[in-house]
């Protein structure tokens, strides 16, 4: 009988324990990061009228303010893969959490609209790179649990979104009534999220900056062990080594895909952009729609929280269901119908049926976790998911920029919500069409190679 590849030693249990600790810390870091990817936006939506009054903004400028998030996501999100290759995904996310903390702390006190926008951009820069890299981290470190981990991440994101919408107004009142304090307090949550990523990236051999599988981590952090394996195992060691293609992704960058040649990539990018348009219009303007209909400010914030909270259970369920279906078109259609009914209700009876419309639009907003799931499903490799995530999100956020701004302009010039709501309902139709196309069972690698 051939000798074993290596003799277990006293050092093996600590390494196993360290890897398990690192995995648990990585899960905690993903959840905490996801909690911080929307409060910068929904907390502002809940206090938009107070911020407008405090900074002297017109409706058009307020519309510009609600367009800043997708603009920053498009501009900064495209840099995330390059930064990740240079510094490691974990280090970039860590820096992103630091940027969110600083931006949220500074922006209420920056002085004037320009300072407010600049500090918001700093926070949104951190959100942008984290947005792009979360699917990459999930695909790399949990390749056999993409659906469940995407669901967990999306559920935490929805929880942070809804919590900021629900508690910002009452928390502001409890802290003395200043909108500046009500916005700044969310920097504390971002500071908490910074800590686990800092711990992860301090050890360059951990999953935060290296490979995701145990075999990949051994190759990056244990070259001495590989040397022993080569001496003892020879060919047997090479046969036992993980997929060489997976190692190639770690040792050297693979040739970039011609992502723009993939129809699926374009469909997914447009789907992402249109769902982002709907989401940022909802987060930025929905409380104002209810307030203009006579709903109290605290209740309007709570209604937005209900809309966002629908993503907590559904963001966990939808990715798991989506990964079990060969095509995700039926889910896209169901979400689109909910959106159309919700917009019609906001036009016909905004106050009387407020809770029903909030629930329906919350279901429609779950196109976001579905889009993230399809990013992982439409690729075969870690490099592919990084490119598709950056392309779909950056292109998608560029598409979404005019939406919130146009809603603000239409609202200011028409004096009501009829035209803005008509626009929102009309955009739901192409969103459904391209979502069905993006949900077809194919990969961007296959399409890009043609």
């Amino acid at each position: 009988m051939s000798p074993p590849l290596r003799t277990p030693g006293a050092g093996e249990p600590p390494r196993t324990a360290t890897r398990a600790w690192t995995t648990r810390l990585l899960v905690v870091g993903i959840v905490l990061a996801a909690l911080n990817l929307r409060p910068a936006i929904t907390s502002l939506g809940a206090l938009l009228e107070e911020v407008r009054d405090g900074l002297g903004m017109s409706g058009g400028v307020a519309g510009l303010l609600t367009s800043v998030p997708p603009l920053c996501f498009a501009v900064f999100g495209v840099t995330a893969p390059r930064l990740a290759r240079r510094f490691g995904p974990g280090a970039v996310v860590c820096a992103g959490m630091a940027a969110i903390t600083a931006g949220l702390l500074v922006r209420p006190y920056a002085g004037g609209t320009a300072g407010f926008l600049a500090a918001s951009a700093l926070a949104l820069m951190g959100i942008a790179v984290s947005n792009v890299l979360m699917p990459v981290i999930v695909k790399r470190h949990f390749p056999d649990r993409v659906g469940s981990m995407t669901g967990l991440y999306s559920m935490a994101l929805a929880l942070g979104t809804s919590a900021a919408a629900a508690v910002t107004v009452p928390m502001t009142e409890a802290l003395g009534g200043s909108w500046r304090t009500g916005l700044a307090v969310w920097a504390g949550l971002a500071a908490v999220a910074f800590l686990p990523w800092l711990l992860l990236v301090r050890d360059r051999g951990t999953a935060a900056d290296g490979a995701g599988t145990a075999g990949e981590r051994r190759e990056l952090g244990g070259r001495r062990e590989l040397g022993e394996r080569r001496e003892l195992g020879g060919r047997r060691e090479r046969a036992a080594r993980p997929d060489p293609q997976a190692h190639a992704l770690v040792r050297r960058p693979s040739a970039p895909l011609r992502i723009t040649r993939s129809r699926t990539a374009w469909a997914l990018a447009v789907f992402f952009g249109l769902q982002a348009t709907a989401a940022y219009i909802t987060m930025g303007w929905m409380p104002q729609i209810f307030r203009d209909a006579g709903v109290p400010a605290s209740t309007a914030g709570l209604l937005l929280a209900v809309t966002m909270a629908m993503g907590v259970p559904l963001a966990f369920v939808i990715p798991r269901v989506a990964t079990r279906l060969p095509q995700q078109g039926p889910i896209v259609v169901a979400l689109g119908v909910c959106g159309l009914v919700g917009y019609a209700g906001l036009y016909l009876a905004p106050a009387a049926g407020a809770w029903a419309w909030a629930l329906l639009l919350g279901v429609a907003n779950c196109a976001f976790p579905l889009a993230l799931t399809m990013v992982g499903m439409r690729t075969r490799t870690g490099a592919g998911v990084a490119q598709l995530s950056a392309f779909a999100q950056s292109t998608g956020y560029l598409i979404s920029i005019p939406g919130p701004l146009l809603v603000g302009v239409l609202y200011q010039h028409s004096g009501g919500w009829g035209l803005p709501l008509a626009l929102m309902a009309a955009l739901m139709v192409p969103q459904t069409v391209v979502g069905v196309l993006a949900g077809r069972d194919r990969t961007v690698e296959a399409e890009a190679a043609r």
Side-chain angles (χ1 to χ4, degrees), residues 42 45-46 158 161-170 282-283 285-311 346 349-363 365:
T42 50
T161 306
S162 59
V167 307
T168 295
V169 171
T282 299
M283 287 186 281
W285 289 108
M286 186 172 159
Q288 193 66 48
I289 295 175
F290 286 124
R291 292 175 73 168
D292 287 351
V295 176
S298 58
T299 304
L302 188 58
L303 285 164
L304 177 60
V306 168
T307 299
M308 300 297 108
M310 288 300 296
L346 279 179
W355 295 101
W357 318 140
L359 289 171
L360 284 169
L361 291 175
V363 175
N365 278 345

Side-chain angles (χ1 to χ4, degrees), residues 17-353:
T18 299
R19 289 169 189 150
W21 177 86
T22 299
T23 300
R24 288 193 291 268
L25 186 61
L26 183 59
V27 172
V28 171
I30 289 172
V31 170
L32 287 175
L35 285 171
N36 281 278
L37 296 184
R38 294 299 179 270
I41 303 165
T42 50
S43 61
L44 177 59
L47 294 173
L48 184 59
E49 185 171 311
E50 288 76 8
V51 174
R52 287 177 58 190
D53 293 340
L55 297 178
M57 293 183 185
S58 65
V61 175
L64 176 63
L65 182 61
T66 57
S67 293
V68 168
L71 174 62
C72 290
F73 294 166
V75 171
F76 297 118
V78 74
T79 67
R82 182 178 300 176
L83 292 172
R85 287 194 296 269
R86 175 67 179 85
F87 301 104
V92 177
V93 172
C94 182
M97 293 300 109
I100 296 171
T101 304
L104 293 184
L105 187 62
V106 169
R107 76 171 178 177
Y109 309 103
T113 302
F116 190 93
L117 289 172
S120 295
L122 176 61
L124 293 167
M125 177 178 64
I127 296 173
V129 295
S130 301
N131 271 336
V132 171
L133 293 179
M134 281 299 149
V136 177
I137 290 171
V138 168
K139 180 82 168 183
R140 175 178 292 182
H141 302 296
F142 306 96
D144 56 341
R145 289 181 283 167
V146 170
S148 59
M149 286 302 300
T150 301
L152 179 64
Y153 152 70
S154 301
M155 186 170 63
L157 188 150
L159 181 61
T161 306
S162 59
V167 307
T168 295
V169 171
M171 183 170 59
T172 300
E173 295 172 352
L175 294 173
S178 170
W179 62 266
R180 300 180 190 276
T181 305
L183 292 181
V185 73
W186 291 104
L189 181 62
V192 172
F194 170 74
L195 295 177
W197 291 100
L198 180 63
L199 293 175
L200 284 164
V201 300
R202 285 183 65 185
D203 181 0
R204 289 289 178 176
T206 65
D209 288 310
T213 65
E216 291 169 342
R217 289 196 298 270
R218 281 196 294 272
E219 181 167 0
L220 289 176
R223 296 188 182 277
R224 211 168 98 189
E225 179 182 348
L226 283 177
E228 295 172 1
R229 285 172 178 254
R230 291 191 187 98
E231 279 186 352
L232 295 173
R235 292 183 180 179
R236 185 175 167 192
E237 183 274 334
R238 287 193 297 273
R241 193 181 301 169
D243 183 359
Q245 292 182 351
H247 287 286
L249 294 176
V250 179
R251 288 195 302 265
R252 59 183 181 276
S254 58
L257 292 171
R258 298 180 182 179
I259 199 78
T260 55
R261 298 181 63 177
S262 168
R263 294 181 180 180
T264 298
W266 278 108
L268 187 54
V270 176
F271 176 68
F272 198 98
L274 292 176
Q275 68 80 28
T277 300
Y280 289 110
I281 290 173
T282 299
M283 287 186 281
W285 289 108
M286 186 172 159
Q288 193 66 48
I289 295 175
F290 286 124
R291 292 175 73 168
D292 287 351
V295 176
S298 58
T299 304
L302 188 58
L303 285 164
L304 177 60
V306 168
T307 299
M308 300 297 108
M310 288 300 296
V312 176
L314 291 180
F316 189 72
V317 172
I318 287 177
R320 294 172 67 89
V321 174
T323 55
R324 286 166 171 77
L325 296 176
Q327 301 190 35
Q328 290 72 50
I331 303 177
V332 172
V333 172
L335 298 180
V337 169
C338 289
L340 289 172
V341 175
Y343 291 135
L346 279 179
Y347 176 74
L348 296 172

Side-chain angles (χ1 to χ4, degrees), residues 384-429:
V385 74
Q387 284 188 251
L388 181 58
S389 179
F391 175 75
Q393 294 199 45
S394 296
T395 304
Y397 284 127
L398 278 174
I399 293 171
S400 71
I401 290 170
L405 176 60
L406 186 56
V407 165
V409 172
L410 290 175
Y411 171 58
Q412 183 175 10
H413 287 279
S414 68
W417 288 105
L419 286 177
L421 287 170
L423 171 66
M424 293 153 73
L427 291 176
M428 191 60 66
V429 176

